[in-house]
Amino acid sequence: MALSRCGSAILDALSTLEARVGTVDGSHKIPICRAVNVTSQVSVVSERAALPGLELTILMPCLNEAETLATCIAKAQSFLSRSGIAGEILIADNGSTDGSQNIARAMGARVVDVPVRGYGAALRAGIAAAFGRYIVMGDADDSYDFAQLDAFLERLRAGDDLVMGNRFAGGIEPGAMPLLHRYLGNPVLSWFGRLFFGSRLGDFHCGMRGFSKQAIAQLDLRTTGMEFASEMVVRATIVRLKISEVPTTLSKDGRSRAPHLRTWRDGWRHLRFLLLYSPRWLFFYPGVLLVVVGTALSSVLFFGQVRIAGIGFDIRTMLVACTCLIVGIQGICFATIARSFAESLNLLPPSPRYGRIIEAFTLERFVLVGAVVFMIGGAGLIAALVQWGEANFGSLDAASLLQVVALSTTAITVGAQLVFTGFLAGLISIKHS
């Protein structure tokens, strides 16, 4: 049934809804529907006219979940009925071919079709289409209990922007989570999330979570795959939304087919996202460590071989140290460029500390320092050539000559890196009109 733009059609549509009475503002009763059938031709204006003042949307991404979808919807309906909340059940269908859409509509759920494939794409479309002030999302495979959403709504009403479920605190049914996910994947990725972004969450990737639609809409979430779960938490943490965690249970899903999640592929996508959103840990900190190690070793070995515990460190070790120095400087340069680029795309919020560093190290200073280092390296190479010429370009003490050549070529490389980084950072800093 399609709702038209005229008021009479809206009234006709309302008469067909499975309605119940819910209190919205505490002063009067209005009809609140559990679900509405929607097609791509339905006007958003008329839909919102038919669904005023909803407090909660229960959102389920769906791709061929015919075996379990009805159970999930029934549990969600029981929660709405028991709690007396003005809410709706929304299915973000990602192109199901098993009739999941018909099952959802037959049970009174609202369906939004999402042609772009991906877990994140389905949820982004569902969040945009939701009418509720709050949204609680969860997988439609019957692994989460939609009949027990009280804790999520309680925290949302208390003012939290994002309420994460914690499966490790609430309990994981035997067989509900693969051992590799339970003891390696989720703990390691959650640890990285806490390390990189200062998050305090114990379960970074729980599929059941509740949030304020207004707060999450402001995050400008962009990913379309499984990493959407990480993006939401990372972005919310970076902009300092109010985040809390409540225990939730995880049951063995009711599907007979394999899950959509692919362990190594999606695990890498989550880790890749965490790294990309943290230039400090991806580039800066490793770069600083390599620079410190490279500088210390090069400085010591420049004056000759060193023996420690009977092990000799000579020019070969010095070449490794120079390599560490070059890679470390490159990492620090990449951190500078990546941070500027992320801020220009609004992926990361402006950092006062980083802003002061950029103000101190302008393009001209980058180029000046790089040019000086480059010329020092060039002077060292010229000195080595002069030394070789004094020996009529014959045989020399290879160790002493290589020490000078190694440091000189390292200086030339680092100088060039600094010059190029300065110009690239300057290009990125140009503002679009």
Side-chain angles (χ1 to χ4, degrees):
M1 175 184 66
L3 298 180
S4 68
R5 296 179 180 175
C6 63
S8 60
I10 293 175
L11 295 176
D12 292 339
L14 284 172
S15 66
T16 66
L17 299 176
E18 180 186 359
R20 60 184 177 82
V21 174
T23 303
V24 174
D25 59 5
S27 60
H28 62 281
K29 305 279 189 175
I30 63 172
I32 302 297
C33 62
R34 292 183 185 173
V36 185
N37 293 336
V38 178
T39 66
S40 59
Q41 289 77 31
V42 174
S43 165
V44 173
V45 175
S46 60
E47 285 185 76
R48 294 195 180 278
L51 293 168
L54 292 187
E55 182 179 20
L56 177 65
T57 292
I58 301 176
L59 173 62
M60 304 178 199
C62 176
L63 176 60
N64 295 326
E65 303 289 3
E67 292 181 295
T68 55
L69 184 59
T71 301
C72 293
I73 293 175
K75 289 181 178 180
Q77 288 173 336
S78 71
F79 171 75
L80 293 176
S81 177
R82 172 176 60 81
S83 61
I85 294 170
E88 64 168 347
I89 300 170
L90 176 61
I91 309 301
D93 188 79
N94 211 196
S96 296
T97 57
D98 63 351
S100 294
Q101 305 95 321
N102 296 331
I103 293 173
R105 292 190 178 101
M107 295 195 66
R110 189 161 65 93
V111 177
V112 57
D113 294 317
V114 186
V116 179
R117 282 297 182 95
Y119 176 77
L123 286 171
R124 285 170 55 189
I127 293 170
F131 295 149
R133 176 184 177 188
Y134 305 124
I135 299 173
V136 174
M137 58 174 254
D139 300 335
D141 59 2
D142 198 27
S143 57
Y144 295 107
D145 189 357
F146 286 99
Q148 304 297 327
L149 304 180
D150 306 79
F152 291 92
L153 196 61
E154 178 182 351
R155 293 309 314 160
L156 290 170
R157 285 172 168 172
D160 293 349
D161 298 305
L162 174 61
V163 184
M164 294 290 297
N166 188 322
R167 298 163 292 182
F168 298 97
I172 301 173
E173 182 181 288
M177 182 184 294
L179 295 179
L180 188 63
H181 296 185
R182 184 169 185 174
Y183 297 106
L184 179 63
N186 278 290
V188 169
L189 290 174
S190 294
W191 181 79
F192 276 125
R194 292 191 293 271
L195 176 66
F196 291 175
F197 308 103
S199 171
R200 298 182 179 180
L201 296 175
D203 188 359
F204 212 73
H205 298 93
C206 182
M208 176 163 277
R209 56 189 70 180
F211 47 86
S212 161
K213 178 180 178 179
Q214 181 181 10
I216 296 301
Q218 295 173 352
L219 297 181
D220 189 24
L221 303 178
R222 305 182 185 189
T223 56
T224 59
M226 287 291 183
E227 67 272 25
F228 179 85
S230 296
E231 183 185 20
M232 179 183 290
V233 178
V234 169
R235 294 278 292 170
T237 303
I238 288 174
V239 302
R240 302 187 182 279
L241 293 185
K242 190 174 181 181
I243 305 174
S244 61
E245 203 169 31
V246 297
T248 189
T249 58
L250 182 70
S251 303
K252 190 172 181 180
D253 67 65
R255 299 172 298 194
S256 60
R257 59 167 175 80
H260 297 302
L261 181 68
R262 296 293 180 265
T263 298
W264 296 108
R265 180 199 67 183
D266 293 317
W268 162 243
R269 292 180 71 167
H270 281 287
L271 178 58
R272 179 185 67 182
F273 178 85
L274 296 178
L275 289 169
L276 289 174
Y277 258 74
S278 183
R280 288 182 306 162
W281 285 96
L282 179 59
F283 298 120
F284 184 75
Y285 293 149
V288 170
L289 178 62
L290 289 171
V291 167
V292 170
V293 171
T295 302
L297 288 176
S298 299
S299 301
V300 172
L301 295 174
F302 180 74
F303 299 99
Q305 185 182 32
V306 175
R307 298 190 69 86
I308 300 176
I311 302 175
F313 298 91
D314 55 13
I315 185 60
R316 298 171 184 81
T317 308
M318 186 175 178
L319 292 175
V320 174
C322 290
T323 302
C324 289
L325 185 58
I326 292 172
V327 175
I329 292 293
Q330 188 67 73
I332 295 173
C333 291
F334 277 173
T336 303
I337 296 170
R339 180 75 203 196
S340 295
F341 185 69
E343 287 188 11
S344 69
L345 294 181
N346 198 32
L347 297 176
L348 294 175
S351 168
R353 181 187 304 174
Y354 176 77
R356 289 192 295 269
I357 293 174
I358 291 299
E359 289 178 1
F361 292 94
T362 60
L363 185 154
E364 290 76 16
R365 288 176 180 171
F366 260 110
V367 173
L368 178 61
V369 172
V372 170
V373 173
F374 187 94
M375 287 188 291
I376 291 174
L381 278 183
I382 292 174
L385 284 173
V386 170
Q387 183 182 356
W388 189 25
E390 291 176 349
N392 294 321
F393 299 102
S395 61
L396 286 172
D397 181 359
S400 61
L401 184 61
L402 279 176
Q403 288 168 347
V404 175
V405 172
L407 286 182
S408 298
T409 54
T410 299
I412 291 173
T413 304
V414 169
Q417 287 176 333
L418 294 175
V419 172
F420 295 155
T421 298
F423 278 106
L424 185 56
L427 178 64
I428 293 174
S429 66
I430 296 176
K431 305 297 183 182
H432 293 286
S433 60

